Amino acid sequence: MLLTKAEAAARKVLHESGLDDLATLRTANLRRLILSRGAYYEEIELEGKDGRIVSFEGQSIISISSAILDKGKKRFTAAHELGHFELHKGLVVNADTPYELCNWYQVGNHEKEANEFAAELLMPFNLFADECKNQKFKPALIDHLSNTFVVSRTSSILKFVKAGNHPVCVICTKDNKIKWWKMSAKMESAEHELVPGWMWYVPRFTSNLPPPPDSVVGQLFKKTSRYQDSERFQEIEKSTWFLAKPDDDPKMFEFCHYAPSYNFALSVVWED
């Protein structure tokens, strides 16, 4: 797999820290890892922010919001700030809101790199691909990946776009407006075989407009009471999200992961 600069930096940290297998990785103490890399770690009240790094005269303090209760989210936030420390030495102060941490493909280059670093640090490609091996996308697989790597559903879904072995399209919607989408390109499996992607599909949706009304996420934002988890996985028509030809198989599936505290949703669309 061709690594980005951020992913290569994460691999270097993993190698130097002895985190070479899944057992040691999933139990790794991020506080100790950050201290071993030369930064100070603390958990404090950070109003409106999930994480922050402050650097002055060669010293750096990584602060994580004490309000974060989910262990997977806290680990990803810490890994994200460590990414800033490893990659962006010139930053004096950088604070990350839930928006930057959720919007991988719409934020600036520094934030994208920190997200890529965190994803590779906590979910190395080869280990992640092994867990996905011979498995099609389904919500239960995302739950398995989240539990296995001790990360959030959001980060598992976004890693799956690159490292999973079943092509998908992920669409981000916030406040009932589509913010970005990402389709699987040709992906490399754990056996270094190329898995076909989805780049030939033509979207029927546009950024900064509401999602299709007949999509799962479109229905979710219409409702005053949100879907239960079991209702967020539904069969849909291909024409809901993409231009369809008469001879196309019309059947697709959509799973919507919704974060009510941010009014933010990730829709995963795939063929069986």
Side-chain angles (χ1 to χ4, degrees):
M1 182 189 72
L2 183 62
L3 298 175
T4 65
K5 169 189 168 185
E7 290 168 337
R11 290 279 185 95
K12 182 174 182 288
V13 171
L14 289 172
H15 177 71
E16 292 176 350
S17 304
L19 301 174
D20 298 321
D21 59 72
L22 185 55
T24 56
L25 180 65
R26 71 188 310 274
T27 58
N29 185 310
L30 269 292
R31 179 195 296 267
R32 290 178 184 171
L33 177 60
I34 287 170
L35 290 171
S36 74
R37 302 302 296 179
Y40 178 74
Y41 177 98
E42 63 180 5
E43 294 183 15
I44 60 173
E45 185 176 342
L46 290 175
E47 188 171 348
K49 302 176 183 67
D50 280 349
R52 182 182 68 194
I53 181 168
V54 177
S55 300
F56 181 70
E57 293 185 350
Q59 302 296 315
S60 296
I61 300 175
I62 288 176
S63 305
I64 306 300
S65 172
S66 56
I68 300 176
L69 301 179
D70 180 78
K71 185 177 181 180
K73 181 180 176 182
K74 182 173 288 187
R75 278 166 56 86
F76 190 87
T77 304
H80 176 100
E81 300 305 331
L82 179 59
H84 283 309
F85 175 77
E86 296 286 341
L87 294 163
H88 310 134
K89 299 297 185 182
L91 286 181
V92 178
V93 179
N94 191 80
D96 291 300
T97 68
Y99 180 82
E100 280 95 16
L101 292 167
C102 291
N103 288 273
W104 290 30
Y105 299 106
Q106 199 180 37
V107 292
N109 193 51
H110 280 174
E111 296 307 319
K112 183 180 178 182
E113 286 185 339
N115 277 332
E116 286 180 347
F117 176 95
E120 188 62 22
L121 185 78
L122 299 178
M123 298 171 283
F125 179 90
N126 288 342
L127 296 180
F128 192 92
D130 282 344
E131 291 297 317
C132 300
K133 187 176 180 180
N134 299 326
Q135 297 195 59
K136 293 182 178 181
F137 179 88
K138 55 187 176 181
L141 176 57
I142 290 301
D143 288 338
H144 167 73
L145 293 169
S146 299
N147 293 331
T148 298
F149 291 96
V150 197
V151 294
S152 66
R153 267 184 170 184
T154 297
S155 53
S156 292
I157 289 170
L158 294 174
K159 185 71 175 184
F160 190 91
V161 178
K162 183 167 186 177
N165 62 354
H166 188 189
V168 299
C169 177
V170 176
I171 304 111
C172 171
T173 304
K174 189 176 189 317
D175 300 328
N176 201 31
K177 297 288 180 68
I178 292 174
K179 295 302 180 182
W180 53 260
W181 66 88
K182 185 75 172 176
M183 293 185 189
S184 299
K186 286 186 177 180
M187 300 174 290
E188 188 178 359
S189 70
E191 292 78 20
H192 307 292
E193 298 172 343
L194 287 179
V195 180
W198 259 26
M199 302 306 289
W200 58 82
Y201 284 140
V202 180
R204 295 185 63 231
F205 50 92
T206 306
S207 294
N208 297 317
L209 291 178
D214 53 339
S215 64
V216 176
V217 68
Q219 291 297 312
L220 184 149
F221 276 101
K222 278 185 178 181
K223 288 179 175 286
T224 52
S225 59
R226 302 306 188 192
Y227 278 147
Q228 298 296 315
D229 275 357
S230 60
E231 298 177 294
R232 296 180 190 165
F233 171 29
Q234 297 183 22
E235 183 177 325
I236 60 169
E237 296 288 324
K238 180 178 289 187
S239 58
T240 298
W241 288 103
F242 303 101
L243 294 178
K245 299 176 183 178
D247 57 346
D248 282 348
D249 183 349
K251 185 170 68 173
M252 276 189 164
F253 297 93
E254 179 183 349
F255 168 63
C256 183
H257 170 53
Y258 178 63
S261 55
Y262 308 139
N263 207 26
F264 162 92
L266 286 178
S267 290
V268 187
V269 182
W270 74 99
E271 294 177 300
D272 192 19

mmCIF file of all heavy atoms in Angstrom, residues 108-124:
data_model
loop_
_atom_site.group_PDB
_atom_site.id
_atom_site.type_symbol
_atom_site.label_atom_id
_atom_site.label_comp_id
_atom_site.label_asym_id
_atom_site.label_seq_id
_atom_site.Cartn_x
_atom_site.Cartn_y
_atom_site.Cartn_z
ATOM 1 N N GLY A 108 -8.907 21.568 6.636
ATOM 2 C CA GLY A 108 -7.620 21.921 6.055
ATOM 3 C C GLY A 108 -6.622 20.781 6.089
ATOM 4 O O GLY A 108 -6.846 19.734 6.707
ATOM 5 N N ASN A 109 -5.480 20.998 5.439
ATOM 6 C CA ASN A 109 -4.496 19.944 5.263
ATOM 7 C C ASN A 109 -3.933 19.435 6.583
ATOM 8 O O ASN A 109 -3.717 18.231 6.760
ATOM 9 C CB ASN A 109 -3.352 20.442 4.370
ATOM 10 C CG ASN A 109 -2.464 19.313 3.887
ATOM 11 O OD1 ASN A 109 -2.959 18.319 3.358
ATOM 12 N ND2 ASN A 109 -1.162 19.449 4.082
ATOM 13 N N HIS A 110 -3.681 20.331 7.542
ATOM 14 C CA HIS A 110 -3.155 19.902 8.840
ATOM 15 C C HIS A 110 -4.127 18.958 9.543
ATOM 16 O O HIS A 110 -3.714 17.945 10.135
ATOM 17 C CB HIS A 110 -2.881 21.116 9.730
ATOM 18 C CG HIS A 110 -1.593 21.801 9.403
ATOM 19 N ND1 HIS A 110 -1.208 22.985 9.990
ATOM 20 C CD2 HIS A 110 -0.585 21.465 8.559
ATOM 21 C CE1 HIS A 110 -0.029 23.352 9.512
ATOM 22 N NE2 HIS A 110 0.364 22.448 8.649
ATOM 23 N N GLU A 111 -5.417 19.274 9.489
ATOM 24 C CA GLU A 111 -6.407 18.437 10.167
ATOM 25 C C GLU A 111 -6.557 17.092 9.462
ATOM 26 O O GLU A 111 -6.682 16.046 10.106
ATOM 27 C CB GLU A 111 -7.755 19.158 10.228
ATOM 28 C CG GLU A 111 -7.742 20.432 11.044
ATOM 29 C CD GLU A 111 -7.179 20.213 12.438
ATOM 30 O OE1 GLU A 111 -7.500 19.178 13.063
ATOM 31 O OE2 GLU A 111 -6.412 21.068 12.907
ATOM 32 N N LYS A 112 -6.543 17.114 8.142
ATOM 33 C CA LYS A 112 -6.628 15.856 7.392
ATOM 34 C C LYS A 112 -5.435 14.962 7.713
ATOM 35 O O LYS A 112 -5.585 13.752 7.909
ATOM 36 C CB LYS A 112 -6.695 16.149 5.898
ATOM 37 C CG LYS A 112 -6.856 14.907 5.045
ATOM 38 C CD LYS A 112 -6.926 15.242 3.564
ATOM 39 C CE LYS A 112 -7.031 13.973 2.723
ATOM 40 N NZ LYS A 112 -7.046 14.277 1.270
ATOM 41 N N GLU A 113 -4.239 15.550 7.757
ATOM 42 C CA GLU A 113 -3.049 14.761 8.071
ATOM 43 C C GLU A 113 -3.125 14.178 9.481
ATOM 44 O O GLU A 113 -2.745 13.019 9.706
ATOM 45 C CB GLU A 113 -1.801 15.622 7.922
ATOM 46 C CG GLU A 113 -1.421 15.908 6.481
ATOM 47 C CD GLU A 113 -0.114 16.667 6.351
ATOM 48 O OE1 GLU A 113 0.303 17.324 7.345
ATOM 49 O OE2 GLU A 113 0.492 16.613 5.273
ATOM 50 N N ALA A 114 -3.602 14.968 10.447
ATOM 51 C CA ALA A 114 -3.712 14.473 11.823
ATOM 52 C C ALA A 114 -4.720 13.336 11.909
ATOM 53 O O ALA A 114 -4.522 12.368 12.660
ATOM 54 C CB ALA A 114 -4.097 15.611 12.762
ATOM 55 N N ASN A 115 -5.801 13.416 11.135
ATOM 56 C CA ASN A 115 -6.782 12.331 11.109
ATOM 57 C C ASN A 115 -6.192 11.075 10.463
ATOM 58 O O ASN A 115 -6.413 9.956 10.932
ATOM 59 C CB ASN A 115 -8.033 12.768 10.344
ATOM 60 C CG ASN A 115 -8.987 13.569 11.218
ATOM 61 O OD1 ASN A 115 -9.024 13.406 12.428
ATOM 62 N ND2 ASN A 115 -9.758 14.448 10.597
ATOM 63 N N GLU A 116 -5.454 11.250 9.363
ATOM 64 C CA GLU A 116 -4.820 10.104 8.715
ATOM 65 C C GLU A 116 -3.811 9.438 9.656
ATOM 66 O O GLU A 116 -3.716 8.209 9.721
ATOM 67 C CB GLU A 116 -4.103 10.550 7.435
ATOM 68 C CG GLU A 116 -5.028 10.868 6.282
ATOM 69 C CD GLU A 116 -4.256 11.295 5.047
ATOM 70 O OE1 GLU A 116 -3.044 11.579 5.148
ATOM 71 O OE2 GLU A 116 -4.876 11.345 3.965
ATOM 72 N N PHE A 117 -3.047 10.260 10.365
ATOM 73 C CA PHE A 117 -2.077 9.739 11.334
ATOM 74 C C PHE A 117 -2.797 8.916 12.401
ATOM 75 O O PHE A 117 -2.393 7.784 12.713
ATOM 76 C CB PHE A 117 -1.323 10.902 11.981
ATOM 77 C CG PHE A 117 -0.360 10.491 13.065
ATOM 78 C CD1 PHE A 117 0.982 10.289 12.782
ATOM 79 C CD2 PHE A 117 -0.793 10.315 14.376
ATOM 80 C CE1 PHE A 117 1.868 9.898 13.785
ATOM 81 C CE2 PHE A 117 0.076 9.930 15.381
ATOM 82 C CZ PHE A 117 1.414 9.730 15.081
ATOM 83 N N ALA A 118 -3.857 9.480 12.975
ATOM 84 C CA ALA A 118 -4.580 8.794 14.048
ATOM 85 C C ALA A 118 -5.187 7.488 13.560
ATOM 86 O O ALA A 118 -5.153 6.463 14.261
ATOM 87 C CB ALA A 118 -5.672 9.716 14.607
ATOM 88 N N ALA A 119 -5.749 7.500 12.359
ATOM 89 C CA ALA A 119 -6.381 6.292 11.823
ATOM 90 C C ALA A 119 -5.356 5.178 11.614
ATOM 91 O O ALA A 119 -5.623 4.009 11.918
ATOM 92 C CB ALA A 119 -7.087 6.621 10.509
ATOM 93 N N GLU A 120 -4.178 5.530 11.095
ATOM 94 C CA GLU A 120 -3.155 4.505 10.862
ATOM 95 C C GLU A 120 -2.505 4.064 12.175
ATOM 96 O O GLU A 120 -2.112 2.894 12.325
ATOM 97 C CB GLU A 120 -2.094 5.020 9.886
ATOM 98 C CG GLU A 120 -1.097 3.981 9.426
ATOM 99 C CD GLU A 120 -1.716 2.821 8.655
ATOM 100 O OE1 GLU A 120 -2.839 2.978 8.107
ATOM 101 O OE2 GLU A 120 -1.086 1.748 8.601
ATOM 102 N N LEU A 121 -2.392 4.975 13.129
ATOM 103 C CA LEU A 121 -1.806 4.617 14.422
ATOM 104 C C LEU A 121 -2.689 3.612 15.157
ATOM 105 O O LEU A 121 -2.199 2.637 15.730
ATOM 106 C CB LEU A 121 -1.624 5.870 15.284
ATOM 107 C CG LEU A 121 -0.911 5.643 16.621
ATOM 108 C CD1 LEU A 121 0.599 5.525 16.410
ATOM 109 C CD2 LEU A 121 -1.216 6.778 17.602
ATOM 110 N N LEU A 122 -4.000 3.851 15.157
ATOM 111 C CA LEU A 122 -4.918 3.004 15.916
ATOM 112 C C LEU A 122 -5.454 1.828 15.110
ATOM 113 O O LEU A 122 -5.868 0.824 15.689
ATOM 114 C CB LEU A 122 -6.091 3.849 16.427
ATOM 115 C CG LEU A 122 -5.729 4.997 17.365
ATOM 116 C CD1 LEU A 122 -6.973 5.772 17.754
ATOM 117 C CD2 LEU A 122 -5.002 4.499 18.610
ATOM 118 N N MET A 123 -5.469 1.975 13.772
ATOM 119 C CA MET A 123 -6.004 0.921 12.898
ATOM 120 C C MET A 123 -5.029 0.692 11.732
ATOM 121 O O MET A 123 -5.345 1.028 10.590
ATOM 122 C CB MET A 123 -7.384 1.325 12.361
ATOM 123 C CG MET A 123 -8.445 1.531 13.420
ATOM 124 S SD MET A 123 -9.982 2.255 12.742
ATOM 125 C CE MET A 123 -9.485 3.988 12.558
ATOM 126 N N PRO A 124 -3.840 0.156 11.979
ATOM 127 C CA PRO A 124 -2.884 -0.058 10.896
ATOM 128 C C PRO A 124 -3.503 -0.858 9.752
ATOM 129 O O PRO A 124 -4.256 -1.807 9.985
ATOM 130 C CB PRO A 124 -1.761 -0.849 11.576
ATOM 131 C CG PRO A 124 -1.880 -0.519 13.018
ATOM 132 C CD PRO A 124 -3.333 -0.331 13.277
#
